[in-house]
Amino acid sequence: MSTDSHPKDVKNSKFGHLPLSTSGPEECALLGNALLSSPYHNKGSAHTLKERDEFRLHGLLPPNVQTLDEQVKRAYQQYSSRQDDLAKNTFMTSMKDQNEVLYYRLIQDHLKEMFSIIYTPTEGEAIENFSRLFRRPAGCFLSIDDQGRVHEDLAKWGKPDDIDYIVVSDGEEILGIGDQGVGGILISVAKLVLTTLCAGIHPARTLPVVLDCGTNNEDLLKDELYLGLKKPRVRGEEYDKFVDKFVQSARKLYPRAYIHFEDFGLANARRILDKYRPTMSCFNDDVQGTGCVTLAAIMAGLHVSKLKLTDMRVVIFGSGTAGTGIADSIKDAIAADSQKSKEDAAKQIWCVDKPGLLLKSHGDKLTPAQVQYARVDDEWKDKDHDNLLAVVKEVKPHVLIGTSTRPKTFTEEIIKEMAKHVDRPIVFPLSNPTRLHEADPKDINTWTKGKALISTGSPFPPVTYDGKEYEVAECNNSTCFPGIGLGTVLSRSRLLSDKMLVAAVKALAAQAPALKDADKGLLPDVINVREISVHIAKAVIKQSVEEGLATEKGIPDNDDELDEWVREQMWEPRYRELIRVSEHKASRHAKGELGIGRIK
């Protein structure tokens, strides 16, 4: 931040009274070292002379008062000096523990460069090394061996109105690296970092949680430094009771909080979401987030190819949590946009997995999420269906999506077969990391002579054909799930409905550069993510109000006022003037009692 004034330096006259307001000065009851120990209030060398006087900071800081811009410059130099990506990740974690504003502002200023450091793939490496890099706890650790303590342990994190957003993981299926046990706490932390960075969820009003159910990772079980339960994963009835104990305790203790399930195993992710979604405001990014962002890219692709959602045919290769989650999003959108039932909408989707095309005769081999997409065997009688090429030849899809983690499976023959039947093939090799992509975008572009509309699961440079350049969009969930969460939190929606998700998808798709230029990306760039989140949040809020799900009072019905209302409640990485208040008059935040960085 420069020394110039900021629009939010003055309290917003219309919405400054809101509890989540972020304009004007900020109250603080902490003094001296207590203030400097609070990552939510500490400004380090940027504390003004007035603040140094009022908060007894003289002698605790070097005398030169600096700006946030100067601090960012120094921090970036320190960051750049770290020898490898994991060291940079560790440096950023340490900064977050000291100064939240500086941490988020540094990332915001270098988002493209740092995204892969604070999230995948480097965060995955940090999670794998959790027990070896551990310095201080960063969240709520719940043990399946202490189920009687779940309510008590959760209650330590605040009063009923203190928590807005909870991310919980059981650590079984982390970022494509599998079972990481108690290290799953770091994926909960990382997801919450993205909600703050991308959508302005207040960092002191979030709670990362890990459900330690043991681990089946033999390396962790043999590691003498491993910090989690050293036992095989508990499953079945005891596991379900543990998850339910967490959910019911969280709902009772923090009734206004939105619960985000993250990186649960294939057997549990969908099942848990389906159990709780009808009665509470919750979300699973692996199931719904991936589906939403992929559907948004599809909608932009359909606009370019002049095809209706209700007319398209989709083949999904890889029918695990992500693949079936994408299928669900597509099915729900088709049903919402037409008079079709969800059952009929599902008939536009063909799912392929290890045994080939999913068929009813696969019976018990199908997961609950796959059952609705299994085709009737008679449809495929005397037809080859045990490989992707055969399915593509028969179905002639407009859209081909890969979530298989099987590299190079979208072969030249398959892509050319697809291009025979549709003018603008929509091809999404989404598997992560890059080495697991089903095809390289430049090959897809060449094989289709520049006609394919491509989106990937990782960032890729533009591709060219015959001297013409085409942008490759990235299906980055971070452009979608933070805005959905922001809209749900601000509206205090009782549920997160299918129509709210479809509204979010449409809001994201509406910002695709390809709508104005067919050679541009099918999704907006993550660099613009905070603006994207505002649009998504507004769409989610409007739909929640329309369905009678919103419980927050005073939500504006005028679009411009709603825009201002949303932005006023988005936390920003900027230093607010600190106003000293006495402890007995101070809020819990002013006393440093909120968040994982709390000091009291």
Side-chain angles (χ1 to χ4, degrees):
M1 189 178 75
S2 68
T3 54
D4 295 335
S5 62
H6 188 280
K8 282 192 172 182
D9 286 346
V10 178
K11 181 68 82 173
N12 184 292
S13 60
K14 193 177 297 182
F15 300 120
H17 65 283
L18 296 171
L20 298 183
S21 167
T22 57
S23 65
E26 184 173 41
E27 294 183 345
C28 181
L30 302 171
L31 300 174
N33 279 319
L35 170 54
L36 298 181
S37 298
S38 170
Y40 308 116
H41 299 91
N42 174 36
K43 301 180 184 180
S45 60
H47 279 291
T48 64
L49 291 176
K50 180 182 177 183
E51 288 173 348
R52 295 178 189 216
D53 286 337
E54 291 186 357
F55 293 94
R56 302 176 187 170
L57 298 176
H58 287 294
L60 301 177
L61 294 167
N64 185 22
V65 177
Q66 295 192 307
T67 65
L68 180 53
D69 279 339
E70 290 169 329
Q71 289 182 318
V72 167
K73 183 176 181 180
R74 177 191 298 109
Y76 184 66
Q77 289 176 353
Q78 294 171 346
Y79 167 89
S80 300
S81 72
R82 295 318 191 256
Q83 71 273 21
D84 57 41
D85 288 350
L86 184 58
K88 290 177 178 177
N89 176 282
T90 303
F91 170 80
M92 293 301 291
T93 298
S94 179
M95 180 182 294
K96 186 176 187 298
D97 290 341
Q98 299 170 53
N99 185 328
E100 293 265 352
V101 169
L102 180 55
Y103 169 81
Y104 283 105
R105 174 61 189 277
L106 178 61
I107 299 171
Q108 197 173 82
D109 283 5
H110 302 277
L111 185 59
K112 284 279 195 179
E113 176 185 351
M114 292 186 173
F115 201 92
S116 63
I117 301 296
I118 62 163
Y119 195 53
T120 181
T122 311
E123 186 64 18
E125 189 178 354
I127 292 169
E128 287 183 295
N129 288 279
F130 170 73
S131 294
R132 295 182 173 274
L133 296 175
F134 181 82
R135 293 180 179 176
R136 58 178 293 182
C140 181
F141 297 82
L142 302 177
S143 168
I144 198 165
D145 286 352
D146 285 315
Q147 294 193 42
R149 294 185 53 86
V150 168
H151 189 90
E152 179 184 348
D153 291 347
L154 271 176
K156 296 172 181 176
W157 296 92
K159 302 297 183 185
D161 290 339
D162 289 343
I163 304 294
D164 292 329
Y165 202 123
I166 298 171
V167 174
V168 59
S169 178
D170 71 353
E172 185 172 8
E173 196 59 54
I174 301 288
L175 291 174
I177 58 175
D179 190 342
Q180 298 300 319
V182 76
I185 189 67
L186 293 187
I187 194 60
S188 297
V189 172
K191 283 289 183 175
L192 287 170
V193 164
L194 295 182
T195 67
T196 298
L197 178 70
C198 303
I201 298 293
H202 198 298
R205 299 182 59 83
T206 65
L207 178 60
V209 179
V210 65
L211 305 179
D212 191 347
C213 307
T215 178
N216 291 339
N217 185 325
E218 289 297 326
D219 291 337
L220 295 180
L221 291 173
K222 294 174 184 176
D223 186 351
E224 63 180 2
L225 296 181
Y226 178 58
L227 290 166
L229 292 176
K230 287 194 172 183
K231 59 188 285 186
R233 275 194 175 271
V234 177
R235 302 197 185 278
E237 184 178 350
E238 187 179 356
Y239 173 86
D240 288 346
K241 284 173 59 180
F242 182 42
V243 173
D244 193 62
K245 182 72 171 177
F246 158 74
V247 170
Q248 300 309 329
S249 296
R251 293 188 70 190
K252 185 172 182 179
L253 290 165
Y254 311 113
R256 290 159 65 87
Y258 171 77
I259 298 179
H260 173 143
F261 297 104
E262 184 67 27
D263 285 346
F264 283 73
L266 179 60
N268 295 318
R270 162 82 49 172
R271 189 173 61 85
I272 291 171
L273 180 66
D274 289 346
K275 178 178 180 179
Y276 295 109
R277 197 175 170 223
T279 59
M280 57 183 273
S281 184
C282 63
F283 178 81
N284 184 307
D285 191 43
D286 308 294
V287 177
Q288 297 164 298
T290 303
C292 285
V293 73
T294 306
L295 177 58
I298 290 173
M299 285 183 166
L302 294 178
H303 175 87
V304 174
S305 57
K306 297 179 173 57
L307 186 70
K308 292 181 180 179
L309 191 66
T310 51
D311 294 332
M312 72 171 176
R313 297 180 297 277
V314 182
V315 170
I316 299 176
F317 182 57
S319 303
T321 301
T324 54
I326 291 169
D328 285 349
S329 294
I330 295 170
K331 173 200 66 182
D332 292 344
I334 292 170
D337 268 16
S338 68
Q339 299 303 312
K340 288 187 176 184
S341 65
K342 289 188 177 182
E343 291 75 17
D344 284 342
K347 293 176 181 177
Q348 293 181 222
I349 304 164
W350 287 258
C351 290
V352 180
D353 211 68
K354 293 174 183 176
L357 182 69
L358 298 186
L359 298 173
K360 297 292 186 186
S361 60
H362 289 142
D364 292 344
K365 294 179 181 178
L366 299 171
T367 67
Q370 292 173 343
V371 169
Q372 61 188 315
Y373 301 106
R375 312 299 292 199
V376 177
D377 289 59
D378 286 348
E379 292 178 13
W380 289 80
K381 190 176 181 180
D382 300 325
K383 297 177 182 177
D384 190 5
H385 52 72
D386 61 357
N387 65 84
L388 181 60
L389 176 59
V391 174
V392 168
K393 283 183 176 179
E394 182 66 26
V395 174
K396 301 175 178 58
H398 302 93
V399 182
L400 177 61
I401 298 169
T403 54
S404 68
T405 66
R406 292 173 59 186
K408 303 188 184 305
T409 43
F410 287 0
T411 63
E412 181 175 359
E413 186 178 7
I414 288 172
I415 298 300
K416 285 186 173 179
E417 178 64 32
M418 184 181 178
K420 285 181 187 177
H421 308 287
V422 294
D423 184 50
R424 300 299 303 267
I426 298 172
V427 185
F428 295 173
L430 300 181
S431 291
N432 276 319
T434 306
R435 60 183 171 80
L436 299 180
H437 266 42
E438 287 78 8
D440 191 304
K442 69 176 184 293
D443 291 332
I444 297 171
N445 190 57
T446 299
W447 297 334
T448 61
K449 299 181 179 179
K451 290 186 176 182
L453 300 167
I454 307 168
S455 186
T456 56
S458 298
F460 276 88
V463 295
T464 58
Y465 182 79
D466 201 18
K468 192 173 184 180
E469 187 173 273
Y470 305 86
E471 288 186 8
V472 177
E474 180 190 359
C475 274
N476 188 329
N477 290 20
S478 301
T479 59
C480 198
F481 83 83
I484 293 172
L486 177 63
T488 310
V489 164
L490 294 185
S491 64
R492 304 295 175 184
S493 187
R494 291 186 292 106
L495 304 173
L496 176 56
S497 70
D498 288 344
K499 289 184 178 180
M500 289 166 68
L501 291 174
V502 171
V505 168
K506 289 181 176 179
L508 177 57
Q511 297 171 80
L515 300 188
K516 296 179 180 178
D517 182 342
D519 299 331
K520 298 295 185 181
L522 297 177
L523 290 168
D525 196 306
V526 71
I527 201 75
N528 302 313
V529 67
R530 285 182 72 92
E531 197 63 28
I532 295 166
S533 292
V534 171
H535 290 283
I536 292 175
K538 287 166 59 181
V540 167
I541 292 167
K542 289 177 183 178
Q543 186 60 44
S544 180
V545 170
E546 184 175 322
E547 293 184 68
L549 297 173
T551 63
E552 183 65 29
K553 305 298 183 184
I555 298 175
D557 51 16
N558 174 277
D559 193 69
D560 288 341
E561 286 196 351
L562 179 61
D563 190 277
E564 185 180 354
W565 186 81
V566 169
R567 293 176 191 274
E568 173 62 20
Q569 299 178 86
M570 291 175 68
W571 185 88
E572 296 178 14
R574 47 176 286 270
Y575 289 139
R576 298 168 65 181
E577 179 187 357
L578 294 181
I579 301 296
R580 183 175 172 181
V581 292
S582 61
E583 188 161 340
H584 75 277
K585 290 183 179 180
S587 67
R588 287 169 52 74
H589 177 62
K591 290 186 286 186
E593 296 176 353
L594 297 188
I596 61 174
R598 62 189 182 172
I599 63 169
K600 292 188 177 183

